[in-house]
Amino acid sequence: MSYDVAAIRSRFPALRAGIAHFDGPGGSQVPDVVAGAVAGALTSPLANRGTITVGERAADAIVHGARAAIGDLLGTDPRGVVFGRSMTALTFDLARTLAATWAPGDEIVVTRLDHDANIRPWVLAAEAAGVTVRWLDLDPDTAELDDVAPLLSDRTRLVAVTGASNLVGTRPDVPAIAAAVHAAGALLMVDGVHLTAHEPIDVRALGADLYACSPYKFLGPHCGVLAADPALLETLHPAKLLPSSDAVPERFELGTLPYELLAGTTAAIEFLAGLDTGARGDRRARLQASMTAVAAHELALRERIEAHLAGLPGVTVRSRAACRTPTLLVTVDGHPPEQVYRYLAERRIAAPASSFYALECSRRLGLGDTGALRIGLACYTDDSDVDRLLDALSGLVGA
């Protein structure tokens, strides 16, 4: 493994502003090649997809290229990759489509751990269809999910669970959940928005029937992705315009795709594939190696931060799951989260405080709607960033 964080950081123009970014779970910074790809698409001949003009062919190539790149990143069939405005928008559309196949007496399962984008669309769709919603709880002391099996029955149609909590970093045992869900004859929807930025992903190994993520969380532009087996998508019939294609995955993509953002998404995935400069093989193999290197880099920094915070008076880390991403939720006695957020921002350290749309989780942890300070690491975080954060927090508590 060859992971040169200094070389990686040199490719991020935003880092030249001198801000220590611990806000990656809310959206990553962007490398130069991503911005270049977006600009390149916008300044080249471009039109609606087709096969006749130069602009049509360019648009078509961008779309196919982005689907292939997502396929390599997630280990999925590119023919089942759907693009949309955001993960939230895609999930709302999907929930409405699936709910049309449900009947009163059917059941779905959502969790107290998830971002609301993988809760509310399903709850609202279930309410509209007269379907029962069951809640999978979590242990507030460990932030670990309870066992899903007792909630499942032959009437369960879907279980929605996060691949990793964007609030506390908890990584549920998704393959075990998938096995139980599939034994009950239901579908598993996995919110991979937070997980995808931190680990090598294999959707098939996870057992996810539906997997959603957001390129802007892994160095790309603002758009959303839904990945599924094309055969599953063929069975679903979303509302769409009459002239628009009924092919999969196009039938799920409403209106003209943002070609420039898809070009940036491909560039981001190519950049990720090169993070381990010693990696060899095709893009999928290089992505697996590079994301393994990212995970090791971030783990070392996370452990360093945790060791330091453990010695600070009044500081409590609420991220305690055995398996988790490099994301820490922190409270400081005598200092409201908003105050700590502003204190760090004044020192050019970006570590925001909120419930971050994981409202059910924040409430279950006893933090209410306000939440707490979240420290999120990224592939470009280095020791100097960590030094600044730890010095600032030590100064805050007088340690």
Side-chain angles (χ1 to χ4, degrees), residues 119-153:
I119 297 176
R120 214 58 47 191
W122 303 112
V123 170
L124 293 174
E127 290 174 351
V131 168
T132 299
V133 177
R134 300 199 178 278
W135 289 86
L136 181 59
D137 205 356
L138 59 90
D139 182 334
D141 292 326
T142 64
E144 300 268 19
L145 279 177
D146 294 343
D147 182 12
V148 72
L151 299 181
L152 303 176
S153 74

Side-chain angles (χ1 to χ4, degrees), residues 240-248 250-252:
K240 69 174 193 66
L241 301 181
L242 184 61
S244 63
S245 174
D246 195 43
V248 168
E250 282 82 2
R251 72 171 69 158
F252 296 90

Side-chain angles (χ1 to χ4, degrees), residues 42 53 58 124-125 136 179-180 201 219 236 238 267 270 320 326 386:
L42 288 172
T53 71
L124 293 174
L136 181 59
I201 303 297
L219 316 184
L236 303 177
E270 288 282 4
R320 301 169 182 167
V386 172

Side-chain angles (χ1 to χ4, degrees), residues 49 59-84 224-227 233 247-253 257 259 262-263 265-266 269 283:
R49 293 173 64 188
D60 202 53
I62 286 173
V63 174
H64 286 295
R67 294 202 210 282
I70 291 290
D72 285 343
L73 179 68
L74 304 181
T76 58
D77 189 332
R79 297 172 300 169
V81 171
V82 179
F83 291 106
V225 172
L226 173 69
L233 295 182
V248 168
E250 282 82 2
R251 72 171 69 158
F252 296 90
E253 295 169 335
L257 289 172
Y259 303 125
L262 302 195
T265 296
T266 299
I269 293 170
R283 184 168 59 190

